[in-house]
Amino acid sequence: MRKSVLLVACFTTLSLLLGGCASSLTGDSYSRDEARRVQTVRMGTIEALRPVKIEGTKTPIGGAAGAVIGGVGGSAIGGGRGSIVTAVIGAVAGGLLGSATEEGLTRTQGVEITVREDDGSTRAYVQAVQENEIFRIGDRVRIMTVDGTSRVTR
C-alpha cells in the first residue's frame, strides 16, 4: 500500500514538473527579455490560414524525472538482485515514458498565418491558437517583431 502511494506521489510530481516547463507560444505572450523592448510593427492582410501542431518540448527533465520515478518504482518490486534488475528496467522504461509524457503535455495546437504585408511581401507566421483571438482570411493584422520573434495580432 505504501509503495503504491509513493508511486502515485512520484507521478503527480512528474506531471506538475512537466506542466511548468511549457512556455506559451501565443501572440500575446512575451518573455521577460522581450518586455520593454522596441518592436518593429508592420501591417498586412491575411491571405491564408492553416491549422498546425507545434511539437512539445524535449528537455532532459522529462526523461530524468521519469527515470527516477521508474527506478524507485522498479526497486520496490522483488528483493535482492531482483530488486536491482527491476530498478534498472523501471528507470529505462520510466525515462522513455517521462520523455514522451513531457513532449505530449507540452504539444499545442497552432495556426500558420500567411500575410501579404503592405510592402507587397508575403510571409507566413506560426503561433499557438488563442481562444480569444480568431483570425479570418481578409483580416487586417499587425505583425510585431522584437529580436527576431514575430507575432500576429489584430
mmCIF file of all heavy atoms in Angstrom, residues 32-81:
data_model
loop_
_atom_site.group_PDB
_atom_site.id
_atom_site.type_symbol
_atom_site.label_atom_id
_atom_site.label_comp_id
_atom_site.label_asym_id
_atom_site.label_seq_id
_atom_site.Cartn_x
_atom_site.Cartn_y
_atom_site.Cartn_z
ATOM 1 N N ARG A 32 10.404 37.715 -20.424
ATOM 2 C CA ARG A 32 10.873 38.856 -19.639
ATOM 3 C C ARG A 32 11.876 39.687 -20.435
ATOM 4 O O ARG A 32 11.904 40.907 -20.325
ATOM 5 C CB ARG A 32 11.493 38.387 -18.329
ATOM 6 C CG ARG A 32 10.468 37.783 -17.369
ATOM 7 C CD ARG A 32 11.053 37.489 -16.005
ATOM 8 N NE ARG A 32 11.320 38.628 -15.158
ATOM 9 C CZ ARG A 32 10.424 39.465 -14.657
ATOM 10 N NH1 ARG A 32 9.158 39.314 -14.954
ATOM 11 N NH2 ARG A 32 10.768 40.457 -13.878
ATOM 12 N N ASP A 33 12.707 39.031 -21.241
ATOM 13 C CA ASP A 33 13.708 39.740 -22.043
ATOM 14 C C ASP A 33 13.073 40.609 -23.129
ATOM 15 O O ASP A 33 13.652 41.606 -23.548
ATOM 16 C CB ASP A 33 14.678 38.750 -22.694
ATOM 17 C CG ASP A 33 15.564 38.058 -21.679
ATOM 18 O OD1 ASP A 33 15.739 38.592 -20.565
ATOM 19 O OD2 ASP A 33 16.076 36.970 -21.998
ATOM 20 N N GLU A 34 11.897 40.217 -23.623
ATOM 21 C CA GLU A 34 11.238 40.964 -24.691
ATOM 22 C C GLU A 34 10.456 42.164 -24.170
ATOM 23 O O GLU A 34 10.177 43.099 -24.928
ATOM 24 C CB GLU A 34 10.285 40.055 -25.464
ATOM 25 C CG GLU A 34 10.994 38.980 -26.258
ATOM 26 C CD GLU A 34 10.051 37.953 -26.815
ATOM 27 O OE1 GLU A 34 8.967 37.728 -26.229
ATOM 28 O OE2 GLU A 34 10.398 37.366 -27.835
ATOM 29 N N ALA A 35 10.098 42.160 -22.913
ATOM 30 C CA ALA A 35 9.316 43.253 -22.346
ATOM 31 C C ALA A 35 10.140 44.545 -22.373
ATOM 32 O O ALA A 35 11.352 44.525 -22.158
ATOM 33 C CB ALA A 35 8.909 42.930 -20.908
ATOM 34 N N ARG A 36 9.480 45.636 -22.659
ATOM 35 C CA ARG A 36 10.069 46.978 -22.670
ATOM 36 C C ARG A 36 11.117 47.167 -23.754
ATOM 37 O O ARG A 36 11.933 48.060 -23.676
ATOM 38 C CB ARG A 36 10.633 47.329 -21.299
ATOM 39 C CG ARG A 36 9.551 47.360 -20.229
ATOM 40 C CD ARG A 36 10.071 47.579 -18.871
ATOM 41 N NE ARG A 36 10.947 48.752 -18.828
ATOM 42 C CZ ARG A 36 11.467 49.224 -17.717
ATOM 43 N NH1 ARG A 36 11.214 48.641 -16.579
ATOM 44 N NH2 ARG A 36 12.251 50.269 -17.736
ATOM 45 N N ARG A 37 11.091 46.325 -24.789
ATOM 46 C CA ARG A 37 11.981 46.495 -25.934
ATOM 47 C C ARG A 37 11.195 47.096 -27.084
ATOM 48 O O ARG A 37 10.007 46.818 -27.252
ATOM 49 C CB ARG A 37 12.548 45.143 -26.368
ATOM 50 C CG ARG A 37 13.451 44.542 -25.344
ATOM 51 C CD ARG A 37 14.734 44.157 -25.998
ATOM 52 N NE ARG A 37 15.662 43.667 -24.994
ATOM 53 C CZ ARG A 37 16.504 42.704 -25.212
ATOM 54 N NH1 ARG A 37 16.541 42.117 -26.389
ATOM 55 N NH2 ARG A 37 17.334 42.332 -24.284
ATOM 56 N N VAL A 38 11.875 47.889 -27.886
ATOM 57 C CA VAL A 38 11.243 48.486 -29.063
ATOM 58 C C VAL A 38 10.923 47.381 -30.057
ATOM 59 O O VAL A 38 11.739 46.494 -30.296
ATOM 60 C CB VAL A 38 12.192 49.523 -29.705
ATOM 61 C CG1 VAL A 38 11.607 50.048 -31.005
ATOM 62 C CG2 VAL A 38 12.453 50.664 -28.742
ATOM 63 N N GLN A 39 9.717 47.427 -30.621
ATOM 64 C CA GLN A 39 9.288 46.444 -31.606
ATOM 65 C C GLN A 39 9.071 47.117 -32.954
ATOM 66 O O GLN A 39 8.655 48.270 -33.012
ATOM 67 C CB GLN A 39 7.961 45.804 -31.174
ATOM 68 C CG GLN A 39 8.060 45.024 -29.901
ATOM 69 C CD GLN A 39 6.746 44.349 -29.589
ATOM 70 O OE1 GLN A 39 6.188 43.671 -30.438
ATOM 71 N NE2 GLN A 39 6.261 44.525 -28.379
ATOM 72 N N THR A 40 9.339 46.361 -34.000
ATOM 73 C CA THR A 40 9.006 46.810 -35.344
ATOM 74 C C THR A 40 7.582 46.356 -35.619
ATOM 75 O O THR A 40 7.237 45.202 -35.375
ATOM 76 C CB THR A 40 9.954 46.160 -36.371
ATOM 77 O OG1 THR A 40 11.287 46.494 -36.032
ATOM 78 C CG2 THR A 40 9.635 46.634 -37.768
ATOM 79 N N VAL A 41 6.751 47.269 -36.106
ATOM 80 C CA VAL A 41 5.353 46.936 -36.397
ATOM 81 C C VAL A 41 5.111 47.115 -37.900
ATOM 82 O O VAL A 41 5.423 48.155 -38.464
ATOM 83 C CB VAL A 41 4.375 47.834 -35.600
ATOM 84 C CG1 VAL A 41 2.929 47.493 -35.937
ATOM 85 C CG2 VAL A 41 4.637 47.718 -34.116
ATOM 86 N N ARG A 42 4.599 46.055 -38.524
ATOM 87 C CA ARG A 42 4.225 46.094 -39.931
ATOM 88 C C ARG A 42 2.743 45.732 -40.011
ATOM 89 O O ARG A 42 2.222 45.025 -39.164
ATOM 90 C CB ARG A 42 5.066 45.097 -40.739
ATOM 91 C CG ARG A 42 6.551 45.429 -40.721
ATOM 92 C CD ARG A 42 7.393 44.471 -41.548
ATOM 93 N NE ARG A 42 7.139 43.058 -41.345
ATOM 94 C CZ ARG A 42 7.675 42.306 -40.376
ATOM 95 N NH1 ARG A 42 8.454 42.854 -39.462
ATOM 96 N NH2 ARG A 42 7.414 41.033 -40.295
ATOM 97 N N MET A 43 2.105 46.191 -41.071
ATOM 98 C CA MET A 43 0.690 45.903 -41.274
ATOM 99 C C MET A 43 0.539 45.013 -42.509
ATOM 100 O O MET A 43 1.374 45.034 -43.410
ATOM 101 C CB MET A 43 -0.100 47.201 -41.485
ATOM 102 C CG MET A 43 -0.049 48.160 -40.309
ATOM 103 S SD MET A 43 -0.755 47.494 -38.798
ATOM 104 C CE MET A 43 -2.479 47.414 -39.244
ATOM 105 N N GLY A 44 -0.540 44.232 -42.513
ATOM 106 C CA GLY A 44 -0.792 43.369 -43.655
ATOM 107 C C GLY A 44 -2.198 42.798 -43.622
ATOM 108 O O GLY A 44 -2.978 43.094 -42.728
ATOM 109 N N THR A 45 -2.480 41.958 -44.614
ATOM 110 C CA THR A 45 -3.793 41.323 -44.748
ATOM 111 C C THR A 45 -3.599 39.816 -44.821
ATOM 112 O O THR A 45 -2.739 39.330 -45.565
ATOM 113 C CB THR A 45 -4.496 41.822 -46.033
ATOM 114 O OG1 THR A 45 -4.586 43.245 -45.978
ATOM 115 C CG2 THR A 45 -5.889 41.230 -46.164
ATOM 116 N N ILE A 46 -4.408 39.078 -44.062
ATOM 117 C CA ILE A 46 -4.302 37.618 -44.048
ATOM 118 C C ILE A 46 -4.781 37.064 -45.382
ATOM 119 O O ILE A 46 -5.880 37.366 -45.839
ATOM 120 C CB ILE A 46 -5.134 37.012 -42.898
ATOM 121 C CG1 ILE A 46 -4.548 37.435 -41.549
ATOM 122 C CG2 ILE A 46 -5.183 35.486 -43.020
ATOM 123 C CD1 ILE A 46 -5.320 36.941 -40.344
ATOM 124 N N GLU A 47 -3.928 36.241 -45.994
ATOM 125 C CA GLU A 47 -4.271 35.597 -47.266
ATOM 126 C C GLU A 47 -4.649 34.135 -47.097
ATOM 127 O O GLU A 47 -5.405 33.599 -47.888
ATOM 128 C CB GLU A 47 -3.109 35.710 -48.245
ATOM 129 C CG GLU A 47 -2.913 37.118 -48.748
ATOM 130 C CD GLU A 47 -2.201 37.141 -50.079
ATOM 131 O OE1 GLU A 47 -1.451 36.203 -50.384
ATOM 132 O OE2 GLU A 47 -2.420 38.116 -50.808
ATOM 133 N N ALA A 48 -4.088 33.471 -46.072
ATOM 134 C CA ALA A 48 -4.383 32.050 -45.866
ATOM 135 C C ALA A 48 -4.169 31.699 -44.399
ATOM 136 O O ALA A 48 -3.351 32.310 -43.710
ATOM 137 C CB ALA A 48 -3.495 31.175 -46.746
ATOM 138 N N LEU A 49 -4.920 30.698 -43.956
ATOM 139 C CA LEU A 49 -4.799 30.160 -42.593
ATOM 140 C C LEU A 49 -4.726 28.650 -42.683
ATOM 141 O O LEU A 49 -5.425 28.047 -43.501
ATOM 142 C CB LEU A 49 -6.006 30.560 -41.744
ATOM 143 C CG LEU A 49 -6.187 32.050 -41.494
ATOM 144 C CD1 LEU A 49 -7.587 32.331 -40.957
ATOM 145 C CD2 LEU A 49 -5.144 32.540 -40.516
ATOM 146 N N ARG A 50 -3.893 28.057 -41.849
ATOM 147 C CA ARG A 50 -3.793 26.595 -41.858
ATOM 148 C C ARG A 50 -3.514 26.108 -40.439
ATOM 149 O O ARG A 50 -2.599 26.602 -39.772
ATOM 150 C CB ARG A 50 -2.650 26.181 -42.778
ATOM 151 C CG ARG A 50 -2.483 24.697 -42.927
ATOM 152 C CD ARG A 50 -1.482 24.393 -44.030
ATOM 153 N NE ARG A 50 -0.128 24.698 -43.615
ATOM 154 C CZ ARG A 50 0.793 23.781 -43.317
ATOM 155 N NH1 ARG A 50 0.498 22.502 -43.404
ATOM 156 N NH2 ARG A 50 2.000 24.141 -42.966
ATOM 157 N N PRO A 51 -4.307 25.153 -39.946
ATOM 158 C CA PRO A 51 -4.030 24.609 -38.612
ATOM 159 C C PRO A 51 -2.747 23.761 -38.640
ATOM 160 O O PRO A 51 -2.512 23.024 -39.604
ATOM 161 C CB PRO A 51 -5.245 23.746 -38.299
ATOM 162 C CG PRO A 51 -5.862 23.441 -39.622
ATOM 163 C CD PRO A 51 -5.480 24.540 -40.552
ATOM 164 N N VAL A 52 -1.930 23.905 -37.614
ATOM 165 C CA VAL A 52 -0.696 23.134 -37.489
ATOM 166 C C VAL A 52 -0.551 22.669 -36.048
ATOM 167 O O VAL A 52 -1.216 23.186 -35.146
ATOM 168 C CB VAL A 52 0.550 23.966 -37.903
ATOM 169 C CG1 VAL A 52 0.492 24.356 -39.364
ATOM 170 C CG2 VAL A 52 0.702 25.199 -37.020
ATOM 171 N N LYS A 53 0.308 21.687 -35.837
ATOM 172 C CA LYS A 53 0.634 21.240 -34.489
ATOM 173 C C LYS A 53 2.030 21.745 -34.160
ATOM 174 O O LYS A 53 2.949 21.623 -34.968
ATOM 175 C CB LYS A 53 0.596 19.725 -34.392
ATOM 176 C CG LYS A 53 -0.792 19.169 -34.442
ATOM 177 C CD LYS A 53 -0.787 17.683 -34.151
ATOM 178 C CE LYS A 53 -2.205 17.191 -34.061
ATOM 179 N NZ LYS A 53 -2.690 16.546 -35.231
ATOM 180 N N ILE A 54 2.193 22.321 -32.992
ATOM 181 C CA ILE A 54 3.502 22.762 -32.519
ATOM 182 C C ILE A 54 4.004 21.701 -31.565
ATOM 183 O O ILE A 54 3.367 21.418 -30.548
ATOM 184 C CB ILE A 54 3.411 24.144 -31.839
ATOM 185 C CG1 ILE A 54 2.874 25.177 -32.831
ATOM 186 C CG2 ILE A 54 4.772 24.553 -31.287
ATOM 187 C CD1 ILE A 54 2.583 26.537 -32.228
ATOM 188 N N GLU A 55 5.132 21.086 -31.908
ATOM 189 C CA GLU A 55 5.635 19.976 -31.094
ATOM 190 C C GLU A 55 5.975 20.456 -29.690
ATOM 191 O O GLU A 55 6.261 21.627 -29.457
ATOM 192 C CB GLU A 55 6.832 19.309 -31.753
ATOM 193 C CG GLU A 55 8.085 20.142 -31.772
ATOM 194 C CD GLU A 55 9.252 19.424 -32.433
ATOM 195 O OE1 GLU A 55 9.050 18.471 -33.196
ATOM 196 O OE2 GLU A 55 10.388 19.848 -32.179
ATOM 197 N N GLY A 56 5.942 19.517 -28.759
ATOM 198 C CA GLY A 56 6.231 19.827 -27.365
ATOM 199 C C GLY A 56 7.722 19.918 -27.103
ATOM 200 O O GLY A 56 8.543 19.607 -27.963
ATOM 201 N N THR A 57 8.047 20.339 -25.894
ATOM 202 C CA THR A 57 9.448 20.469 -25.514
ATOM 203 C C THR A 57 10.079 19.096 -25.332
ATOM 204 O O THR A 57 9.396 18.122 -25.002
ATOM 205 C CB THR A 57 9.614 21.276 -24.217
ATOM 206 O OG1 THR A 57 8.875 20.629 -23.179
ATOM 207 C CG2 THR A 57 9.103 22.696 -24.369
ATOM 208 N N LYS A 58 11.370 19.042 -25.539
ATOM 209 C CA LYS A 58 12.117 17.792 -25.403
ATOM 210 C C LYS A 58 13.377 18.077 -24.587
ATOM 211 O O LYS A 58 14.489 18.019 -25.098
ATOM 212 C CB LYS A 58 12.468 17.236 -26.780
ATOM 213 C CG LYS A 58 11.250 16.869 -27.599
ATOM 214 C CD LYS A 58 11.616 16.446 -28.995
ATOM 215 C CE LYS A 58 10.348 16.166 -29.791
ATOM 216 N NZ LYS A 58 10.610 15.871 -31.177
ATOM 217 N N THR A 59 13.170 18.399 -23.324
ATOM 218 C CA THR A 59 14.298 18.681 -22.437
ATOM 219 C C THR A 59 14.671 17.418 -21.675
ATOM 220 O O THR A 59 13.885 16.460 -21.626
ATOM 221 C CB THR A 59 13.928 19.780 -21.423
ATOM 222 O OG1 THR A 59 12.907 19.275 -20.542
ATOM 223 C CG2 THR A 59 13.422 21.039 -22.113
ATOM 224 N N PRO A 60 15.830 17.395 -21.039
ATOM 225 C CA PRO A 60 16.211 16.228 -20.239
ATOM 226 C C PRO A 60 15.358 16.045 -18.974
ATOM 227 O O PRO A 60 15.398 14.988 -18.356
ATOM 228 C CB PRO A 60 17.661 16.515 -19.845
ATOM 229 C CG PRO A 60 18.131 17.600 -20.731
ATOM 230 C CD PRO A 60 16.917 18.349 -21.182
ATOM 231 N N ILE A 61 14.588 17.042 -18.617
ATOM 232 C CA ILE A 61 13.816 16.991 -17.366
ATOM 233 C C ILE A 61 12.809 15.844 -17.366
ATOM 234 O O ILE A 61 12.720 15.089 -16.401
ATOM 235 C CB ILE A 61 13.099 18.334 -17.107
ATOM 236 C CG1 ILE A 61 14.130 19.435 -16.874
ATOM 237 C CG2 ILE A 61 12.154 18.227 -15.926
ATOM 238 C CD1 ILE A 61 13.546 20.820 -16.819
ATOM 239 N N GLY A 62 12.051 15.691 -18.457
ATOM 240 C CA GLY A 62 11.032 14.636 -18.520
ATOM 241 C C GLY A 62 11.646 13.250 -18.405
ATOM 242 O O GLY A 62 11.189 12.411 -17.632
ATOM 243 N N GLY A 63 12.701 13.001 -19.173
ATOM 244 C CA GLY A 63 13.366 11.702 -19.130
ATOM 245 C C GLY A 63 14.003 11.419 -17.789
ATOM 246 O O GLY A 63 13.906 10.308 -17.249
ATOM 247 N N ALA A 64 14.665 12.427 -17.211
ATOM 248 C CA ALA A 64 15.330 12.246 -15.916
ATOM 249 C C ALA A 64 14.309 11.997 -14.807
ATOM 250 O O ALA A 64 14.483 11.088 -13.984
ATOM 251 C CB ALA A 64 16.181 13.464 -15.581
ATOM 252 N N ALA A 65 13.244 12.784 -14.799
ATOM 253 C CA ALA A 65 12.215 12.600 -13.768
ATOM 254 C C ALA A 65 11.557 11.224 -13.916
ATOM 255 O O ALA A 65 11.322 10.525 -12.922
ATOM 256 C CB ALA A 65 11.166 13.706 -13.860
ATOM 257 N N GLY A 66 11.270 10.839 -15.168
ATOM 258 C CA GLY A 66 10.681 9.521 -15.404
ATOM 259 C C GLY A 66 11.608 8.398 -14.991
ATOM 260 O O GLY A 66 11.179 7.388 -14.426
ATOM 261 N N ALA A 67 12.921 8.559 -15.240
ATOM 262 C CA ALA A 67 13.896 7.532 -14.854
ATOM 263 C C ALA A 67 13.959 7.379 -13.343
ATOM 264 O O ALA A 67 14.011 6.257 -12.822
ATOM 265 C CB ALA A 67 15.271 7.882 -15.415
ATOM 266 N N VAL A 68 13.939 8.495 -12.628
ATOM 267 C CA VAL A 68 13.972 8.437 -11.160
ATOM 268 C C VAL A 68 12.727 7.738 -10.633
ATOM 269 O O VAL A 68 12.804 6.829 -9.797
ATOM 270 C CB VAL A 68 14.108 9.852 -10.557
ATOM 271 C CG1 VAL A 68 13.863 9.845 -9.065
ATOM 272 C CG2 VAL A 68 15.481 10.429 -10.878
ATOM 273 N N ILE A 69 11.584 8.161 -11.132
ATOM 274 C CA ILE A 69 10.327 7.567 -10.675
ATOM 275 C C ILE A 69 10.265 6.084 -11.030
ATOM 276 O O ILE A 69 9.894 5.248 -10.216
ATOM 277 C CB ILE A 69 9.123 8.327 -11.266
ATOM 278 C CG1 ILE A 69 9.072 9.737 -10.666
ATOM 279 C CG2 ILE A 69 7.817 7.593 -11.012
ATOM 280 C CD1 ILE A 69 8.127 10.664 -11.369
ATOM 281 N N GLY A 70 10.661 5.746 -12.270
ATOM 282 C CA GLY A 70 10.667 4.342 -12.688
ATOM 283 C C GLY A 70 11.645 3.501 -11.889
ATOM 284 O O GLY A 70 11.367 2.358 -11.536
ATOM 285 N N GLY A 71 12.809 4.078 -11.590
ATOM 286 C CA GLY A 71 13.806 3.363 -10.790
ATOM 287 C C GLY A 71 13.319 3.099 -9.379
ATOM 288 O O GLY A 71 13.468 1.991 -8.845
ATOM 289 N N VAL A 72 12.710 4.103 -8.766
ATOM 290 C CA VAL A 72 12.167 3.935 -7.410
ATOM 291 C C VAL A 72 11.044 2.901 -7.426
ATOM 292 O O VAL A 72 10.987 2.001 -6.584
ATOM 293 C CB VAL A 72 11.663 5.281 -6.847
ATOM 294 C CG1 VAL A 72 10.860 5.089 -5.571
ATOM 295 C CG2 VAL A 72 12.839 6.220 -6.599
ATOM 296 N N GLY A 73 10.155 3.026 -8.413
ATOM 297 C CA GLY A 73 9.049 2.071 -8.515
ATOM 298 C C GLY A 73 9.538 0.661 -8.790
ATOM 299 O O GLY A 73 9.060 -0.312 -8.209
ATOM 300 N N GLY A 74 10.529 0.533 -9.681
ATOM 301 C CA GLY A 74 11.069 -0.779 -10.006
ATOM 302 C C GLY A 74 11.786 -1.426 -8.840
ATOM 303 O O GLY A 74 11.715 -2.642 -8.650
ATOM 304 N N SER A 75 12.475 -0.620 -8.035
ATOM 305 C CA SER A 75 13.204 -1.183 -6.890
ATOM 306 C C SER A 75 12.254 -1.715 -5.820
ATOM 307 O O SER A 75 12.650 -2.524 -4.981
ATOM 308 C CB SER A 75 14.142 -0.138 -6.286
ATOM 309 O OG SER A 75 13.396 0.892 -5.656
ATOM 310 N N ALA A 76 11.014 -1.260 -5.850
ATOM 311 C CA ALA A 76 10.032 -1.717 -4.868
ATOM 312 C C ALA A 76 9.539 -3.127 -5.193
ATOM 313 O O ALA A 76 8.895 -3.771 -4.373
ATOM 314 C CB ALA A 76 8.850 -0.756 -4.829
ATOM 315 N N ILE A 77 9.858 -3.616 -6.400
ATOM 316 C CA ILE A 77 9.420 -4.945 -6.821
ATOM 317 C C ILE A 77 10.575 -5.922 -6.622
ATOM 318 O O ILE A 77 11.702 -5.649 -7.018
ATOM 319 C CB ILE A 77 8.996 -4.928 -8.305
ATOM 320 C CG1 ILE A 77 7.841 -3.945 -8.508
ATOM 321 C CG2 ILE A 77 8.622 -6.323 -8.778
ATOM 322 C CD1 ILE A 77 7.508 -3.681 -9.954
ATOM 323 N N GLY A 78 10.309 -7.020 -6.049
ATOM 324 C CA GLY A 78 11.329 -8.060 -5.858
ATOM 325 C C GLY A 78 12.223 -7.765 -4.665
ATOM 326 O O GLY A 78 12.027 -6.818 -3.924
ATOM 327 N N GLY A 79 13.240 -8.576 -4.512
ATOM 328 C CA GLY A 79 14.171 -8.392 -3.404
ATOM 329 C C GLY A 79 15.567 -8.798 -3.844
ATOM 330 O O GLY A 79 15.756 -9.540 -4.818
ATOM 331 N N GLY A 80 16.604 -8.300 -3.187
ATOM 332 C CA GLY A 80 17.980 -8.647 -3.509
ATOM 333 C C GLY A 80 18.356 -8.173 -4.896
ATOM 334 O O GLY A 80 18.110 -7.044 -5.279
ATOM 335 N N ARG A 81 18.986 -9.102 -5.665
ATOM 336 C CA ARG A 81 19.403 -8.761 -7.033
ATOM 337 C C ARG A 81 18.207 -8.509 -7.948
ATOM 338 O O ARG A 81 18.303 -7.731 -8.891
ATOM 339 C CB ARG A 81 20.269 -9.867 -7.606
ATOM 340 C CG ARG A 81 21.624 -9.904 -6.965
ATOM 341 C CD ARG A 81 22.540 -10.821 -7.716
ATOM 342 N NE ARG A 81 23.846 -10.754 -7.085
ATOM 343 C CZ ARG A 81 24.807 -11.593 -7.307
ATOM 344 N NH1 ARG A 81 24.622 -12.605 -8.143
ATOM 345 N NH2 ARG A 81 25.965 -11.451 -6.709
#
